[in-house]
């Protein structure tokens, strides 16, 4: 205890004896900041973002930019909520309430009029662009993995953990079809851009190609030379001819949708001596070049030459690549990474042309505004951030 030299003197000297010592710390002189060093102490990482949305109270999983309103954004996460908000309008936000578990997926209809949210509660909810609930679509017996709109109308497709795929008409709330056949969670899926076919990938290591009207499974792609572990992601070429898929097994394959045949196979890029292969987390066809791209937990973005079935470039990241997005129909691609950074790549040269900083933890999803001026990212740090990308068209 400290002892006051003069108890009746409030400003008396204070003495400490050895018994007052709680803890001793050795300080190395080299560790002491220089008094004249402006950067002494903690140096904060620069924040390149122009807008931060902080309405959520947990990790964020999903982001979607409106295809018609360049400032309208939807985000969702582990706080069981979605939000609609506007870039540059800090006073405008609309909370999407009603999910009872994490909001795992978001998608705007192609005309920009409706937003679909999928939750781990097994519900798909349809909202207008002001955030008013239009309807709740029920049926799946497990969490919703993804939601996708038909390219030409208000039909909504979703894949569930209960092995099923559901198709509804969002205008009249009718369930049109249920696609059954997968043996595990349906982790990825989409309509072909012409709207005539549905492709779905599952944790059962198969790709199924469906007729949306007859619910017939036209092709089931499985076994050698296809994936040996569950699919994680897929993308369909703009001409509706090919699907590219990625898997937990670290491989990437391209399938001819018409024939159901595997036409290209790219095995895991990490060697077998490194143990189990690192999962591929994201794939996409270039909208304007004969390329496909894949990103994985091995930290690599691979840009594939589809015509020659070979890698053009392997672009290294410090940590795993979780998501990617093309900047319109350009040669530029954005990757989101476990290190909390977004990197912009020139896929013609294989160079990283910009690194965008600001997030403190892994990026989970990225989306590009309809005017190609903004990139919006969401992270497990609980924030959504907006970055300017108008120089990269």
């Amino acid at each position: 205890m400290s002892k006051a030299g003069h108890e009746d003197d409030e400003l008396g000297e204070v003495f400490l004896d050895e018994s007052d010592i709680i803890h001793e710390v050795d300080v190395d002189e080299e560790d002491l900041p220089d008094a004249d060093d402006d950067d002494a102490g903690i140096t904060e990482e620069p924040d390149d973002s122009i807008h931060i949305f902080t309405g959520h109270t947990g990790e964020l999983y999903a982001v979607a930019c409106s295809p018609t309103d360049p400032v309208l954004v939807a985000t969702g996460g582990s706080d069981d909520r979605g939000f609609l908000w506007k870039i540059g309008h800090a006073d405008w936000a609309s909370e999407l309430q009603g999910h009872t578990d994490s909001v795992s997926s978001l998608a705007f209809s192609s005309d920009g009029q409706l937003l679909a949210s999928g939750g781990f509660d097994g519900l798909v909810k349809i909202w207008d662009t002001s955030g008013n609930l239009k309807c709740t679509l029920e049926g799946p017996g497990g969490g919703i993995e993804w939601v996708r709109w038909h390219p030409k109308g208000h039909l909504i497709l979703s894949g569930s953990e209960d092995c099923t795929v559901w198709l509804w008409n969002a205008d009249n709330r009718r369930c049109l079809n249920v696609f059954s056949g997968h043996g595990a969670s349906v982790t990825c899926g989409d309509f072909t851009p012409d709207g005539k076919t549905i492709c779905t990938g599952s944790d059962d290591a198969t790709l199924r190609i469906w007729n949306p009207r007859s619910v017939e499974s036209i092709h089931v792609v499985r076994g050698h030379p296809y994936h040996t572990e569950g699919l994680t992601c897929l993308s369909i070429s703009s001409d509706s001819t090919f699907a590219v898929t990625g898997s937990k097994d670290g491989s990437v394959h391209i399938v001819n949708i018409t024939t159901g045949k595997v036409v290209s196979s790219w095995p895991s890029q990490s060697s077998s001596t490194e143990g189990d292969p690192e999962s591929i987390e994201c794939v996409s066809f270039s909208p304007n070049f004969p390329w496909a791209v894949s990103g994985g937990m091995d930290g690599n973005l691979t840009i594939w030459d589809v015509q020659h079935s070979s890698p053009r470039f392997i672009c290294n990241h410090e940590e795993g690549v979780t998501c990617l997005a093309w900047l319109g129909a350009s040669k530029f691609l954005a990757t989101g990474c476990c290190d909390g950074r977004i990197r912009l790549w020139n896929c013609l040269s294989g160079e990283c042309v910009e690194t965008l900083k600001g997030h403190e933890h892994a990026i989970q999803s990225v989306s590009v505004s309809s005017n190609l001026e903004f990139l919006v990212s969401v992270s497990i740090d609980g924030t959504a951030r907006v970055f300017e990308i108008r120089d990269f068209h």
Side-chain angles (χ1 to χ4, degrees):
M1 276 181 61
S2 57
K3 304 181 179 80
H6 307 280
E7 286 182 13
D8 54 344
D9 182 356
E10 287 182 25
L11 299 175
E13 290 182 72
V14 176
F15 300 98
L16 295 172
D17 60 29
E18 274 195 39
S19 66
D20 294 325
I21 296 169
I22 300 168
H23 186 59
E24 287 189 28
V25 181
D26 286 329
V27 178
D28 195 329
E29 280 189 30
E30 289 178 14
D31 295 336
L32 291 172
D34 292 331
D36 58 348
D37 186 353
D38 289 339
D39 297 322
I42 299 167
T43 55
E44 283 197 9
E45 176 120 310
D47 190 342
D48 300 318
S49 64
I50 59 159
H51 184 120
I52 305 172
F53 180 75
T54 56
H56 290 275
T57 56
E59 300 179 353
L60 295 196
Y61 302 140
V63 59
C65 289
S66 163
T68 53
D69 182 341
V71 297
L72 186 63
V73 180
T75 49
S78 67
D79 58 3
D80 306 350
R81 297 184 298 170
F83 276 96
L84 277 166
W85 49 276
K86 292 183 177 179
I87 298 168
H89 298 259
D91 54 346
W92 193 95
S94 181
E95 185 177 341
L96 311 177
Q97 295 178 314
H99 282 290
T100 58
D101 204 339
S102 298
V103 176
S104 55
S105 48
L106 294 161
F108 282 97
S109 57
S110 57
D111 61 8
Q113 292 180 5
L114 298 175
L115 172 73
S117 61
F120 286 150
D121 55 7
L123 301 177
V124 174
K125 290 179 177 287
I126 307 297
W127 316 81
D128 67 18
T129 52
S130 299
N132 301 307
L133 180 66
K134 303 281 285 185
C135 63
T136 298
L137 306 172
E138 301 181 51
I144 302 300
E145 291 273 7
W146 49 271
V147 289
R148 294 287 186 275
W149 291 91
H150 189 279
K152 298 182 176 71
H154 287 174
L155 303 184
I156 185 78
L157 187 71
S158 84
S160 169
E161 290 177 323
D162 73 353
C163 315
T164 61
V165 178
W166 291 66
L167 178 64
W168 295 275
N169 180 324
D171 290 331
N172 62 21
R173 311 180 187 190
R174 271 182 49 224
C175 172
L176 301 179
N177 279 319
V178 181
F179 303 85
S180 301
H182 281 299
S185 179
V186 187
T187 52
C188 50
D190 208 348
F191 291 99
T192 51
D194 62 14
K196 296 177 181 175
T197 309
I198 290 169
C199 297
T200 59
S202 166
D203 224 4
D204 66 6
T206 72
L207 173 73
R208 284 181 178 260
I209 299 163
W210 310 85
N211 178 326
R213 294 181 185 276
S214 69
V215 201
E216 177 198 359
S217 184
I218 307 165
H219 298 294
V220 182
V221 186
R222 63 179 155 211
H224 187 78
Y226 202 52
H227 298 294
T228 57
E229 292 184 53
L231 276 69
T232 54
C233 49
L234 70 76
S235 171
I236 300 172
S237 60
S238 55
D239 63 4
S240 301
T241 306
F242 298 105
V244 58
T245 57
S247 162
K248 292 176 181 174
D249 66 12
S251 69
V252 176
H253 297 274
I254 292 182
V255 174
N256 182 311
I257 293 170
T258 309
T259 65
K261 294 280 188 279
V262 178
V263 294
S264 290
S265 294
W266 301 312
S268 170
Q269 295 295 294
S270 45
S271 72
S272 55
T273 55
E274 295 165 27
D276 291 334
E278 303 266 21
S279 172
I280 297 290
E281 294 294 309
C282 42
V283 290
S284 183
F285 280 108
S286 164
N288 224 16
F289 295 90
W291 307 332
V293 292
S294 61
M297 295 311 289
D298 61 358
N300 288 333
L301 163 71
T302 305
I303 304 165
W304 304 96
D305 181 327
V306 174
Q307 290 166 330
H308 297 95
S309 198
S310 61
R312 284 172 52 80
F313 300 105
I314 297 176
C315 308
N316 302 116
H317 298 65
E318 290 179 24
E319 294 183 38
V321 180
T322 58
C323 51
L324 49 79
W326 289 98
L327 308 191
S330 74
K331 63 188 175 184
F332 295 109
L333 179 82
T335 54
C337 189
C338 288
D339 65 5
R341 295 179 181 184
I342 294 143
R343 291 169 177 83
L344 305 183
W345 301 87
N346 177 340
C347 292
L348 207 54
S349 66
E351 291 175 286
C352 179
V353 291
E354 190 74 76
T355 301
L356 302 171
K357 300 168 186 164
H359 283 293
E360 294 172 11
H361 295 293
I363 311 289
Q364 295 283 59
S365 184
V366 290
S367 185
V368 176
S369 66
S370 60
N371 63 359
L372 307 182
E373 293 197 1
F374 307 109
L375 181 137
V376 187
S377 54
V378 295
S379 164
I380 59 174
D381 67 11
T383 68
R385 278 175 152 80
V386 182
F387 301 90
E388 281 186 309
I389 54 165
R390 58 170 62 97
D391 294 339
F392 303 97
H393 284 186

